[in-house]
Amino acid sequence: MLDPTDRVVMVSGAARGIGRATVERLLAAGFLVSAGVRDARGLRSDTRLLVHRYDAESLPSAQDWVGATLARFGRVQGLVNGAGINTIARVTDEDETALDQLWAVNVKGPMRLVRLVLPHLAACGDGRVINVASLSGKRVANENAGYALSKFALVALTHAIRREGWSAGVRASALCPGFVATDMTAGVTAVPRQDMTQPADLARLIETLLLLPSNAVVSELLVNCRLETML
Ligand SMILES: NC(=O)c1ccc[n+]([C@@H]2O[C@H](COP(=O)([O-])OP(=O)(O)OC[C@H]3O[C@@H](n4cnc5c(N)ncnc54)[C@H](OP(=O)(O)O)[C@@H]3O)[C@@H](O)[C@H]2O)c1
């Protein structure tokens, strides 16, 4: 396993949900963390934590956040793409606004960040990218075609990063949970809240993915809170 101490990891979507649980877990484990947020409310201050504005729909915002991380810590060894949305875009919807937003936040945002940090991940020799995708990136289980399209694309991006970064020691993993007890599932009744996967348990998995050695990596990690046939 890699040593977490002083490894610098950027986490997007860090103010809430899975991203926030990840920041807390990584800080407790000894990482240095750069948290990308649109609103820093609720994040505790910590000498090992940089909190910086990041909006997944804005390239300058991504550039600023990466620049601020390098200015503060001098390196980046990990990136966790946790920011995401699940606005609804059905196949038959004529208005493409939701589809465009899903694509911008769930796909272009992560891809831009990877493009910006890949040279730094390669420079350290054992860089890691964790993309928080979804089981919706593995199968289509409801009418939100746009969300599934974006998550299938994020899984594809993960494999593209593996190919491009492998020789430089960069490893990428797609984390694919089902229902997680966060704001995103506030309206879900299909699974009782206490039976959903907890964000802290995903944070534990993300920490492990960040620390696995380069010859024992996981390309896709499917996480179930209920029985799904074949996944
Ligand atoms: N919850 C689930 O059941 C579930 C299951 C599978 C996969 N996932 C995926 O897990 C990831 C995290 O979701 P979550 O459950 O933690 O949801 P959440 O509690 O709703 O948090 C979403 C996070 O994404 C951030 N975000 C949204 N739009 C953004 C933008 N334009 N720029 C930057 N940040 C933005 C939010 O920031 P603000 O606080 O500023 O809004 C928030 O921090 C998402 O990619 C989601 O698709 C979730």
Side-chain angles (χ1 to χ4, degrees), residues 13-19 37-39 54-57 81-85 105-106 132-135 147 151 177-185:
R16 290 191 289 129
I18 298 165
V37 297
R38 292 191 298 182
D39 178 353
Y54 167 64
D55 185 333
E57 295 191 69
N81 279 308
I85 55 171
V105 176
N106 293 0
V132 183
S134 171
L135 288 180
Y147 184 69
K151 292 301 182 176
F179 289 118
V180 185
T182 65
D183 295 344
M184 193 173 275
T185 52

Side-chain angles (χ1 to χ4, degrees), residues 42-174:
L43 272 179
R44 66 187 168 96
S45 71
D46 188 301
T47 53
R48 305 177 68 78
L49 174 66
L50 168 70
V51 179
H52 198 273
R53 181 165 167 76
Y54 167 64
D55 185 333
E57 295 191 69
S58 156
L59 173 60
S61 156
Q63 291 166 326
D64 282 356
W65 180 31
V66 172
T69 303
L70 291 168
R72 168 79 177 267
F73 297 121
R75 63 197 184 282
V76 180
Q77 284 123 324
L79 168 65
V80 179
N81 279 308
I85 55 171
N86 72 337
T87 46
I88 293 174
R90 295 182 190 83
V91 173
T92 49
D93 287 349
E94 283 182 20
D95 184 343
E96 296 178 357
T97 309
L99 179 64
D100 290 345
Q101 205 187 3
L102 282 161
W103 195 255
V105 176
N106 293 0
V107 184
K108 286 188 74 174
M111 188 158 171
R112 282 193 191 122
L113 283 174
V114 170
R115 187 167 75 235
L116 293 168
V117 301
L118 203 53
H120 306 285
L121 298 178
C124 74
D126 49 20
R128 298 288 181 266
V129 177
I130 314 298
N131 289 325
V132 183
S134 171
L135 288 180
S136 293
K138 301 301 298 178
R139 46 81 171 129
V140 180
N142 59 44
E143 291 189 359
N144 193 350
Y147 184 69
L149 286 167
S150 74
K151 292 301 182 176
F152 269 74
L154 189 56
V155 173
L157 174 64
T158 308
H159 288 280
I161 298 162
R162 295 176 68 234
R163 293 180 70 87
E164 193 141 346
W166 190 273
S167 61
V170 177
R171 302 292 183 262
S173 308

Side-chain angles (χ1 to χ4, degrees), residues 144-222:
N144 193 350
Y147 184 69
L149 286 167
S150 74
K151 292 301 182 176
F152 269 74
L154 189 56
V155 173
L157 174 64
T158 308
H159 288 280
I161 298 162
R162 295 176 68 234
R163 293 180 70 87
E164 193 141 346
W166 190 273
S167 61
V170 177
R171 302 292 183 262
S173 308
L175 181 69
C176 300
F179 289 118
V180 185
T182 65
D183 295 344
M184 193 173 275
T185 52
V188 172
T189 52
V191 177
R193 215 142 175 84
Q194 69 273 12
D195 292 345
M196 294 180 181
T197 300
Q198 298 302 309
D201 289 320
L202 291 180
R204 180 199 300 239
L205 293 174
I206 288 170
E207 181 195 356
T208 301
L209 292 173
L210 285 168
L211 294 178
L212 286 170
S214 295
N215 54 3
V217 289
V218 178
S219 57
E220 297 180 9
L221 182 53
L222 278 49

